[in-house]
């Protein structure tokens, strides 16, 4: 009996390390600081692979995640989700031990934090450069200057600069489109330095998104880079156009539980609780929850396509498959599924089995 | 500082126990066996609430889940996902200790299991009665009789009957529509008894789906019922029309991290890793990832609507909110989100905080 008998998230360390090295080299070339987002892998072991490339500071997406990585020895952490007064206790616990940066975007929170924090923390103001999720509108200098005024005399909140997440690049399809979205956001972002550098000459600009960081090279003026997803990439990123399927470092091994040739369908034990219900809209308008490919042992073959995951329930996935692939499969075989969104799949699976047969745990 | 400072899945035990009691009474009225699906709550503590109502046997959606509940004292478990030859070892481990039922739908698997199992297990044949996911087409008597022949002389695989999941009812909107979908599937299902009872007079029919079990009453001839989601219900079930929002027993408490009145938006710390990316299509064609309501302490108020979750990223949710609600909220407040799909939300959150302040762990 082989090792794999249930849905298992496989990880290829060579591809993963190559992704880390490539991104690290790009950012070095631009002269910036690499502060990778660890929300994609959430793993101390993979964190070590970053350390081996010289990375010394990280980004996380929650205070809980910051606690985990602080326990694992990381001493310079930015929590990229906007902080609120609810986070006072955990900020105090963390800032007692490590160099912590938080993100703010409103005056009330700044006021309460300044009163209640015990130790200094670095503060970024979240800037909205087109994604319209969180952040102060980067064009709204009046509002921004109002917030900066509140940070002028604070002793616990030490203003570092502006942080943006150019999530609008995820709507792009193809390198030209990624470049266009990146340039639109970057223009607004760099303008902040132009307008504010007289008052804040040491102000830093911190940029994060995998598509832009993967294909764009015009980042002069940006000081720090926080991409995260590139560590694994995924099916969505390949559709966006910033990587190849051969750059995807993870693949969900999924047992075949039923074969329905008359419907061109294979049913796999791989559902929403393994992949997530994130789906990608492809160039032809069709949707997919994952790309099914052949698996030999623990190696998957992106050239050997089986089909697309069309439907997901809690534990089941239905793949619309090519007929010649269906007739070669039977219940008990195991296939591979390249996940649409590797951050969400990893978050669900909570551990990896490497192609070398080692188990890597993630933050629980 | 209040108890809630991060996304927290609240559970109202009164509503939950009421849901359990109501479904139990319905099934008793029909004269059937209640074999509830535990994949929605995945919790030993909530399992005890079922025991208190007289439930003695359960359904689960994976062999791992069966192991967890067997460890917690459950001795009669059906694993409802189609078994394959990959499951031999775990079936042997479980069947050594408890009464285990498995589900099969192909001859090759039957053959290998019969050779390799050490202890007898009960066997259901999965019947497709219209959902077209897994199962033998309930109309295809030739195929079905072929499979039954393979089970005629087996000593480890003890044929019990047919099991179906009428997932097609999830497409319904409104009681009439649920009833129609249920009757379509039930007709095919009951026909199996008519055609096969001479050869298999003890054959059982096992039915599972929350919408049908919640509103339909014509189940004469069905022996066993396996609904699961009803224990909590959710926003999707209320849109399907088989429950009220006041029957929903869980609610995600989500901190407000930013307020954007100019866009009628509130941003909450509640993303795909908390709710899941399942969404519901409402009667007017719009989509939602969750219904935002007011929270007072740990009690949520379904009458006090804040708005709909329109966008989800990994940790962030964007709510399109009513203006009068937005202006009453600020960063650091906590609101409630009724999840679209409570099974997936619970699976992500892995624990509940009851409205009485107790922590309930789920299977890890």
């Amino acid at each position: 009996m082989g090792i794999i008998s249930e849905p298992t998230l496989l990880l290829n360390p060579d591809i993963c390390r190559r992704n880390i090295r490539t991104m690290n080299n790009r950012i070095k070339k631009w002269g910036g600081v690499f502060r990778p987002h660890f929300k994609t892998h959430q793993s101390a072991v993979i964190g070590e692979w970053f350390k081996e490339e010289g990375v010394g500071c990280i980004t996380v997406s929650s205070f809980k995640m910051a606690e985990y990585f602080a326990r694992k020895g990381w001493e310079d952490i930015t929590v990229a989700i906007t902080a609120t007064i609810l986070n006072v206790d955990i900020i105090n616990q963390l800032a007692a031990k490590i160099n912590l940066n938080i993100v703010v975007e409103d005056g009330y929170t700044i006021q309460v934090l300044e009163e209640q924090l015990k130790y200094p923390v670095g503060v970024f103001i979240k800037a909205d450069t087109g994604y319209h999720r969180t952040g102060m509108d980067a064009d709204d200098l009046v509002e921004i200057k109002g917030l900066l005024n509140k940070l002028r005399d604070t002793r616990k909140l030490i203003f570092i600069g502006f942080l943006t997440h150019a999530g609008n690049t995820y709507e792009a399809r193809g390198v030209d489109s990624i470049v266009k979205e990146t340039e639109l956001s970057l223009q607004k972002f760099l303008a902040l330095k132009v307008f504010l550098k007289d008052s804040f000459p040491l102000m830093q600009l911190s940029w994060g998104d995998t598509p832009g960081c993967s294909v764009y090279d015009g980042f002069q003026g940006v000081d720090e880079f926080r991409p995260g997803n590139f560590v694994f990439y995924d099916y969505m990123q390949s559709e966006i156009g910033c990587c190849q399927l051969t750059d995807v470092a993870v693949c969900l091994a999924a047992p075949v539980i039923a074969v329905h040739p008359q419907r061109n369908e294979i049913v796999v034990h791989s559902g929403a609780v393994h992949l997530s219900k994130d789906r990608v809209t492809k160039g032809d308008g069709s949707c997919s929850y994952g790309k099914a490919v052949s698996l030999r042992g623990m190696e998957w073959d992106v050239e050997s396509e089986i089909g697309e995951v069309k439907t997901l329930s809690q534990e089941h996935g239905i793949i619309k498959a090519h007929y010649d692939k269906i007739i070669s499969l039977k219940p008990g075989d195991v296939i591979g599924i390249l996940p649409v969104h590797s951050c969400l799949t990893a978050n669900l699976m909570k551990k990896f089995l490497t192609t070398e047969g080692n188990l890597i745990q993630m933050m629980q």
Side-chain angles (χ1 to χ4, degrees), chain A:
Chain A
M1 193 67 50
I3 296 177
I4 295 171
S5 64
E6 50 176 2
T8 305
L9 188 58
L10 302 175
L11 167 68
N12 184 318
D14 293 334
I15 298 177
C16 186
R17 287 177 182 271
R18 186 180 75 214
N19 290 343
I20 296 170
R21 193 167 302 133
T22 301
M23 186 61 75
N24 191 34
N25 288 342
R26 288 175 65 72
I27 294 169
K28 267 195 202 156
K29 192 177 70 183
W30 306 328
V33 169
F34 189 15
R35 184 186 281 278
H37 211 316
F38 272 17
K39 70 177 177 180
T40 306
H41 62 80
Q42 297 186 46
S43 148
V45 169
I46 294 173
E48 292 301 304
W49 300 352
F50 280 84
K51 261 190 199 159
E52 288 164 27
E53 297 295 325
V55 168
C57 59
I58 62 172
T59 312
V60 295
S61 57
S62 72
F63 286 99
K64 272 264 145 76
M65 206 181 288
E67 278 188 327
Y68 168 78
F69 284 107
R71 273 200 311 275
K72 300 294 183 180
W74 290 91
E75 298 179 323
D76 188 331
I77 303 177
T78 293
V79 177
I81 192 166
T82 303
T84 73
I85 63 172
L86 300 172
N87 307 128
V88 164
D89 289 348
I90 200 169
I91 290 174
N92 281 333
Q93 285 159 32
L94 281 162
K97 297 175 300 190
I98 65 163
N99 180 39
L100 180 72
N101 299 320
I102 64 173
V103 172
V104 299
E105 59 179 279
D106 79 280
Y108 167 69
T109 302
I110 286 173
Q111 185 187 316
V112 175
L113 289 185
E114 177 63 17
E115 287 165 15
Q116 302 198 12
L117 292 192
K118 295 184 189 167
Y119 312 94
V121 297
V123 165
F124 284 95
I125 293 177
K126 183 76 75 87
D128 175 0
T129 52
Y131 186 37
H132 303 319
R133 188 178 64 187
T134 49
M136 313 203 73
D137 188 340
D139 294 332
D140 196 337
L141 279 175
V142 172
E143 282 288 314
I144 289 175
K145 283 179 173 172
L147 214 67
L148 282 171
N149 258 338
K150 294 182 157 59
L151 290 170
R152 191 173 290 285
D153 301 310
T154 49
R155 298 208 163 281
K156 301 293 167 47
L157 301 176
I158 314 299
F159 175 63
I160 299 180
F162 292 86
L163 175 151
T164 195
H165 173 67
N168 38 312
T169 59
Y170 279 59
E171 301 307 311
R173 289 294 185 267
V175 172
D176 290 347
S177 162
I178 300 172
V179 166
K180 176 164 163 252
E181 286 297 326
T182 303
E183 286 183 330
L184 278 170
S185 293
L186 196 51
Q187 195 175 35
K188 293 177 187 266
F189 203 43
L190 292 170
L192 289 168
K193 246 189 190 174
V194 172
F195 291 127
L196 300 167
K197 67 172 166 32
D198 291 338
S199 321
F200 299 92
L202 301 179
M203 185 182 98
Q204 305 265 301
L205 292 183
S206 175
W207 177 274
D209 82 289
T210 277
C213 290
S214 298
V215 307
Y216 186 69
D217 273 295
F219 283 111
Q220 295 78 18
V222 175
D223 302 285
E224 179 185 275
F225 297 87
R226 308 177 327 278
N229 175 281
F230 74 94
V231 63
F232 297 152
Y233 283 114
D234 51 41
Y235 186 16
M236 166 133 51
Q237 296 301 316
S238 85
E239 287 294 305
I240 286 170
C242 68
C243 74
Q244 303 297 319
L245 285 179
T246 42
D247 298 320
V248 179
V250 290
C251 183
L252 187 78
V256 176
I257 65 174
V259 176
H260 297 288
Q262 75 282 11
R263 298 202 288 267
N264 276 43
E265 285 178 0
I266 294 163
V267 186
V268 285
H269 186 193
S270 162
V273 298
H274 308 107
L275 287 169
S276 92
K277 276 206 100 166
D278 216 345
R279 59 185 191 176
V280 66
T281 305
K282 296 163 64 72
D284 62 7
S286 65
C287 292
S288 175
Y289 289 101
K291 185 180 274 297
V293 298
S294 297
L295 196 64
R296 286 179 198 87
M298 290 188 295
E299 305 278 342
W300 61 91
D301 182 0
V302 305
E303 302 292 317
S304 177
E305 262 196 50
I306 290 173
E308 304 283 343
V309 181
K310 285 306 197 179
T311 317
L312 278 186
S313 45
Q314 187 165 339
E315 301 258 357
H316 295 78
I318 301 181
I319 296 169
K320 270 284 189 256
H322 309 300
Y323 189 75
D324 57 317
K325 296 292 188 197
I326 294 182
I327 55 178
S328 70
L329 288 169
K330 61 187 189 302
D333 287 345
V334 184
I335 65 164
I337 300 175
L338 299 174
V340 165
H341 192 166
S342 58
C343 315
L344 299 190
T345 303
N347 181 71
L348 280 157
M349 297 302 293
K350 293 273 183 265
K351 59 183 188 276
F352 310 94
L353 177 64
T354 74
T355 46
E356 295 150 4
N358 300 314
L359 204 61
I360 296 179
Q361 292 289 353
M362 291 169 59
M363 167 183 159
Q364 298 300 305

